[in-house]
Amino acid sequence: MELRKDSWDVEADLFLAQTVLQHIESGSTQLKAFEEASEKLKRSKAACGFRWNGSLRKKYEDAIRKAKQIRNQNKSDGSIVTITNSNTIAHELSPIEEDNTVYSLQDPIQLDQEFVVTFNEIMDNLNSHISLLRQMTLELAGRLEEANNKNEKLKSEYANLQSEIINAVDMNVFMRLADKISNNKMEQITG
């Protein structure tokens, strides 16, 4: 069986998992993790989200739990964790060293909207695949019906040929018998 060119290998899975876990730990969103991973892995955000939610998430349940504990601990400590472009946790700012960033109550709503956007992208992707599969199923059903019709026609032609062969053999045997009988009668007459 040939391996697809766009199949996920162990390294890509590991990179995606590490990226998502680091974003969870830092209080960032999974959508941002998918964006970062998509740039590095040369895949779409939706593909990264689908791979994470469909295959990897269950394997990393303990790691997700630990990342959320660290995130919650950082929140309760008042620490702010940021992620650099190199995919590592850059620094922690204590409450005294705040960077004048204003956090509002809109952030949780925005996170939900980001999740919905990612979810909708994945669902659109799945719907297009389902539509393609339906088209292929209809085409294959048509081909199957055509093949069944041809099969029935071939069965009928085969039965006709068998009958003709039997008739031909019977006729040949009949002709030989007729020749023998006529030869025997000729011998009796001349004989």
Side-chain angles (χ1 to χ4, degrees):
M1 187 170 133
E2 188 177 319
L3 188 65
R4 286 178 48 156
K5 292 179 183 177
D6 63 343
S7 64
W8 287 82
D9 59 13
V10 176
E11 292 175 3
D13 281 347
L14 185 59
F15 178 82
L16 177 60
Q18 287 174 340
T19 304
V20 171
L21 291 170
Q22 286 178 342
H23 277 264
I24 291 171
E25 188 175 307
S26 70
S28 180
T29 64
Q30 289 183 23
L31 180 61
K32 289 182 182 175
F34 300 153
E35 289 174 357
E36 181 178 335
S38 72
E39 291 175 13
K40 302 273 185 182
L41 297 173
K42 305 290 188 236
R43 296 176 183 269
S44 69
K45 295 180 283 187
C48 291
F50 186 76
R51 181 66 176 177
W52 171 255
N53 289 312
S55 300
L56 300 176
R57 178 181 221 117
K58 292 175 187 170
K59 295 177 185 177
Y60 288 92
E61 287 179 349
D62 290 336
I64 293 169
R65 203 173 302 112
K66 288 176 186 175
K68 287 180 178 180
Q69 286 173 349
I70 292 170
R71 178 191 64 203
N72 292 337
Q73 184 179 2
N74 287 338
K75 280 183 181 179
S76 65
D77 292 343
S79 300
I80 300 171
V81 180
T82 59
I83 297 179
T84 65
N85 289 339
S86 64
N87 197 31
T88 58
I89 297 176
H91 60 281
E92 291 187 13
L93 298 175
S94 68
I96 300 169
E97 303 172 340
E98 288 186 21
D99 61 352
N100 296 327
T101 304
V102 177
Y103 294 93
S104 71
L105 295 176
Q106 295 296 333
D107 288 340
I109 294 170
Q110 183 179 1
L111 295 180
D112 289 339
Q113 289 171 345
E114 290 173 357
F115 172 79
V116 169
V117 168
T118 302
F119 179 79
N120 286 337
E121 287 175 356
I122 292 168
M123 291 305 295
D124 288 345
N125 192 11
L126 285 174
N127 285 333
S128 68
H129 287 297
I130 289 170
S131 176
L132 182 62
L133 287 173
R134 283 183 181 148
Q135 289 173 348
M136 291 171 68
T137 301
L138 291 174
E139 180 182 333
L140 290 174
R143 287 183 181 179
L144 179 62
E145 185 177 348
E146 184 180 323
N148 285 337
N149 291 340
K150 286 181 180 179
N151 189 32
E152 289 301 318
K153 184 178 177 184
L154 287 173
K155 281 181 184 179
S156 175
E157 288 176 3
Y158 179 74
N160 289 338
L161 283 174
Q162 278 184 320
S163 178
E164 287 179 22
I165 289 171
I166 290 170
N167 288 339
V169 168
D170 287 347
M171 184 58 89
N172 197 7
V173 170
F174 179 73
M175 296 289 278
R176 283 189 197 153
L177 283 173
D179 282 345
K180 264 189 177 182
I181 291 172
S182 70
N183 284 341
N184 282 341
K185 284 191 178 181
M186 287 298 264
E187 285 179 16
Q188 287 175 355
I189 295 175
T190 57

